Amino acid sequence: MAEDPPPQPADSAGAPVDPAQRAGVTRGTRIVVIVALLLLAVGAGRTIVSRMANARVLEANVAEGAVQYVKTTVVRTSEGGQTIALPGSLQGAQQAPLAARSAGYVKRWTRDIGSHVRQGELLAVIESPEIDQQLSQAEATRGQTAASLALAKSTVERWEALRKKDVVSQQELDERRSGLAQATANLAAADANVQRLRQLQGFTRVTAPFDGVITKRNVDVGDLIDSSGKTLFVLTQMDPLRVYVNVPQSYAQLVRPGQKVVVTQSELRGQSFAGEVARTSASIDPATRTMQVEIALPNRNGILLPGAYVQVELPIAGQRTVVVPTNVLLFRGEGTRVATVDAANRVHLKPVTLGRNLGEAIEVIDGIAAGDRLVVNPSDSLGEGDAVAVAANEDGGTASAAKPARAASKALP
C-alpha cells in the first residue's frame, strides 16, 4: 500500500502554501533585516564621527580661549633733553604796599589805580596838625636850649678869667664847665627832636619809591590814618616781571641759574615770552618736596599783567634714561612690576625701581633694559611663565607670534 504524501501547509484560508514561495519570503525578510542593520551601523558611525568632531572643536575653542593676546612696546632709552611745564603767577620785580608813617586825615590823593608813576612822584597828602604843633614846640624848645648854651659859654669864659686872678676856686669853675657841657647836650637833643619831627612831617607826603603802576588804592579824602600801618596804595613794577615756580625734587639738581625758559599764557594764544632762571632757593621744601625757582621775565611792551596765571616750560638737561609709558606698570602687593615677553612668548614679571614722573611716561632706574618687550595694559591675571600670543605692538611692529586660526564653532550635523 503506498504512503500518503506529507500534508502541505495551508494559509489562513486553508489553502496549501508553496515551499518556493515560502523560501522567497524568508530571503526577503533576511535582506530587510540586513539592510536595517547596515543602516543602523551607518547611523551609529556617523553619530560617533560627529561627536568626535564636536569634541575636537570644543577642545580647540577652549585652547584658544586660554591663550591671552597682548600688545607690547619696546623699551628705548631717551638721550634728548626734556621739557617740563610748571604753573606760576606773574609778579612785579618790585611790589610794595605803601603806608603812611604819620597819623592824620587824608587831605588829597593824586593818583588812582592804573596810573604809571615815577620815583618820587606825589601820591597823597595827609593833614596832621598834631605833628605840626609838636614841631613848632620842639623848635621853640631848641631856641631856649640854644640861649641857655650861649649863657653857659659866656659864664665859663668869665669864670676862667676870674680863676686866673685866683678870685674863684677851681671847684666853682668846674661846675660852670659842667653846666656848659649839659647845655651843649641839651641843644643836641633838641636838634634831634626837631629833626625827628621834621622827618615825621615829611611822611605826610606819600611818594612813589620806584617807577611802576598803582595796582590798588585803599584810601579816599577824609580817611583817618593811624599808626597801624594801613596800606594806602600798592605799587607794582611792570618791567621786568618775575615768576616763582616750584620744581619737583627729581628735577631740582638739573636747574641752574641762567637757563632759558619759555612762558606762555592761555589767553595770549600764539604768543610766547622768553625768560631766564634768575636764582633758586638751593633747598628742598620738606612739606612739598619742591625747590622754589625765580624766573626773570622782560615785559617791555607791558603785554603781561602781574598776577596772571602762566605756564613755564623749563628745559631739563639731556641724560641717558630709560622711559616707559605708565600703562605698562603692574601694582602688586609685593611691589611695582612690569610684564616682559621673551622670545618664546612667555611672560616674566620683573620688579622695577621708578624715578621721575613725566606725565604719561615715567623714568625707570632699575629692573629693565633697552630692547625689552613690555606688555601694554597688562591684566591682573598675568602670571610668571604664562604663554601669550603677541599682537601688533604699540610701536607699529608686526605680530611676533602668528595668531592661531579660530576653529570653526559649527559642529558637524
Side-chain angles (χ1 to χ4, degrees):
M1 180 175 181
E3 295 181 357
D4 295 332
Q8 299 294 328
D11 57 9
S12 57
V17 178
D18 186 2
Q21 184 180 2
R22 182 178 180 182
V25 171
T26 302
R27 282 195 303 271
T29 303
R30 290 177 180 176
I31 291 173
V32 171
V33 172
I34 292 172
V35 171
L37 293 175
L38 290 175
L39 292 175
L40 291 174
V42 170
R46 190 172 183 277
T47 301
I48 294 173
V49 171
S50 176
R51 291 182 177 178
M52 292 176 63
N54 288 339
R56 286 194 296 271
V57 170
L58 182 60
E59 291 177 359
N61 289 338
V62 171
E64 182 183 2
V67 174
Q68 300 188 61
Y69 294 92
V70 296
K71 287 186 178 181
T72 62
T73 184
V74 179
V75 177
R76 294 186 175 89
T77 57
S78 172
E79 297 182 356
Q82 301 174 2
T83 300
I84 59 174
L86 300 171
S89 295
L90 296 178
Q91 300 181 25
Q94 297 185 75
Q95 180 171 317
L98 306 182
R101 180 66 177 83
S102 299
Y105 291 92
V106 176
K107 184 177 182 180
R108 61 190 176 93
W109 51 268
T110 61
R111 292 292 182 268
D112 209 339
I113 58 173
S115 300
H116 292 259
V117 298
R118 295 290 183 181
Q119 182 178 3
E121 187 172 343
L122 180 65
L123 304 180
V125 176
I126 298 174
E127 188 174 18
S128 181
E130 294 86 354
I131 295 179
D132 297 339
Q133 294 301 322
Q134 290 175 8
L135 178 59
S136 298
Q137 181 181 0
E139 289 175 343
T141 303
R142 184 199 177 282
Q144 295 175 352
T145 306
S148 298
L149 177 61
L151 177 60
K153 284 182 179 180
S154 62
T155 301
V156 168
E157 291 174 355
R158 287 193 299 271
W159 281 75
E160 285 178 347
L162 293 174
R163 176 60 183 148
K164 290 178 182 179
K165 297 178 181 180
D166 202 18
V167 176
V168 295
S169 65
Q170 184 66 35
Q171 175 67 28
E172 291 174 326
L173 177 59
D174 292 340
E175 289 177 355
R176 299 303 180 274
R177 287 175 176 174
S178 175
L180 176 61
Q182 291 179 3
T184 303
N186 290 337
L187 180 60
D191 286 338
N193 189 39
V194 170
Q195 185 64 24
R196 178 185 68 85
L197 291 172
R198 284 177 179 172
Q199 291 182 352
L200 194 60
Q201 189 182 48
F203 289 145
T204 59
R205 295 173 58 87
V206 181
T207 59
F210 52 84
D211 296 349
V213 175
I214 301 295
T215 56
K216 286 184 181 180
R217 179 180 64 84
N218 300 322
V219 294
D220 211 335
V221 175
D223 284 354
L224 175 63
I225 305 300
D226 53 23
S227 59
S228 62
K230 176 183 177 181
T231 299
L232 308 183
F233 301 91
V234 175
L235 182 62
T236 303
Q237 187 176 9
M238 298 293 290
D239 181 30
L241 298 176
R242 60 182 175 179
V243 187
Y244 286 106
V245 295
N246 294 319
V247 178
Q249 176 180 333
S250 54
Y251 298 104
Q253 299 294 337
L254 304 177
V255 180
R256 296 288 184 273
Q259 283 182 262
K260 303 298 182 181
V261 302
V262 176
V263 178
T264 58
Q265 185 176 338
S266 59
E267 292 80 7
L268 302 176
R269 296 183 180 179
Q271 299 186 53
S272 60
F273 307 89
E276 182 179 309
V277 176
R279 59 189 59 86
T280 70
S281 63
S283 63
I284 303 298
D285 184 355
T288 61
R289 301 301 176 188
T290 58
M291 180 180 71
Q292 190 178 59
V293 175
E294 180 184 340
I295 295 169
L297 183 63
N299 187 32
R300 297 179 181 88
N301 297 327
I303 298 176
L304 297 173
L305 301 179
Y309 178 84
V310 294
Q311 287 286 334
V312 178
E313 296 180 4
L314 180 63
I316 301 300
Q319 57 181 354
R320 191 177 183 87
T321 56
V322 176
V323 178
V324 299
T326 55
N327 59 354
V328 302
L329 300 179
L330 272 171
F331 299 97
R332 299 287 176 87
E334 59 273 17
T336 305
R337 299 287 188 270
V338 293
T340 62
V341 180
D342 59 17
N345 292 336
R346 293 285 179 178
V347 173
H348 301 281
L349 301 181
K350 295 183 178 181
V352 292
T353 302
L354 303 180
R356 296 170 295 171
N357 191 334
L358 307 177
E360 295 183 356
I362 196 166
E363 178 185 345
V364 178
I365 299 175
D366 186 29
I368 58 176
D372 288 349
R373 290 190 300 165
L374 305 182
V375 177
V376 178
N377 297 320
S379 66
D380 291 335
S381 62
L382 276 180
E384 180 69 25
D386 288 352
V388 294
V390 182
N393 57 42
E394 292 196 343
D395 300 314
T398 57
S400 60
K403 184 177 179 180
R406 175 175 289 275
S409 60
K410 183 179 180 180
L412 295 175

